[in-house]
Amino acid sequence: MADKPPLDYSFHGQPLIREPKHRAARAASVEPLESDIQKTIIHFLKVHPKVAWVARFISGVMRSEYNGRESFTRFSTQKGLSDTLGMLYGGILFALEIKRPPFSGPRNSREQDQAKFLGDIRAGGGRAGFACSIEDAQQILGI
């Protein structure tokens, strides 16, 4: 059988497949990552009998470049949008902003925007707050 030439993954001399960026190794942490806490809370809420629905929302900005022009894509027009939104049976909207413990309150402008959004949800009759655990979420939602 004849040897095949190696596949060329390039377009006009530019590679189509980029080498992954290597990140510096992090020191091991005993605290769980925010994403792990969030997955745990969302899973708990998805199976809870008082929760009609719950979803993860993405907000923020992504930078991209096309034909040499830089652009930015905003994923939400709502400042401080919580990453976890849902509804309890009975029509009560809820918003949870998940943080790593210990969390004692807003430390920067982004977290202040998140606190304002949570306050707006509460002012409209919903339930909202910062949560670091399933227990925090239960207390905020009253379930």
Side-chain angles (χ1 to χ4, degrees), residues 19 45 68 79 82 98 135 140:
E19 290 296 318
L45 294 174
K79 223 175 181 182
S82 290
I98 312 301
E135 294 77 16
I140 292 164

Side-chain angles (χ1 to χ4, degrees), residues 15-69:
L16 293 177
I17 301 174
R18 286 186 251 154
E19 290 296 318
K21 293 181 180 178
H22 295 285
R23 296 182 181 182
R26 283 193 223 167
S29 173
V30 294
E31 294 295 331
L33 297 175
E34 186 175 303
S35 60
D36 295 331
I37 298 167
Q38 186 175 65
K39 286 176 193 173
T40 303
I41 291 173
I42 288 174
H43 176 73
F44 169 79
L45 294 174
K46 281 187 175 190
V47 299
H48 197 284
K50 292 185 179 180
V51 177
W53 63 269
V54 62
R56 161 95 165 84
F57 285 78
I58 299 172
S59 60
V61 178
M62 178 183 77
R63 180 187 151 297
S64 60
E65 189 176 319
Y66 180 72
N67 285 339
R69 295 184 64 187

Side-chain angles (χ1 to χ4, degrees), residues 46-125:
K46 281 187 175 190
V47 299
H48 197 284
K50 292 185 179 180
V51 177
W53 63 269
V54 62
R56 161 95 165 84
F57 285 78
I58 299 172
S59 60
V61 178
M62 178 183 77
R63 180 187 151 297
S64 60
E65 189 176 319
Y66 180 72
N67 285 339
R69 295 184 64 187
E70 184 177 58
S71 65
F72 295 90
T73 303
R74 183 172 294 282
F75 293 109
S76 169
T77 57
Q78 176 62 50
K79 223 175 181 182
L81 177 70
S82 290
D83 43 24
T84 307
L85 297 174
M87 185 171 288
L88 300 175
Y89 282 107
I92 299 171
L93 179 70
F94 68 81
L96 296 172
E97 188 58 48
I98 312 301
K99 298 293 180 191
R100 288 178 75 176
F103 181 77
S104 58
R107 300 174 297 243
N108 54 44
S109 63
R110 186 183 61 146
E111 289 177 352
Q112 289 170 352
D113 290 340
Q114 292 167 344
K116 183 185 179 320
F117 178 81
L118 296 171
D120 291 345
I121 295 292
R122 286 190 299 270

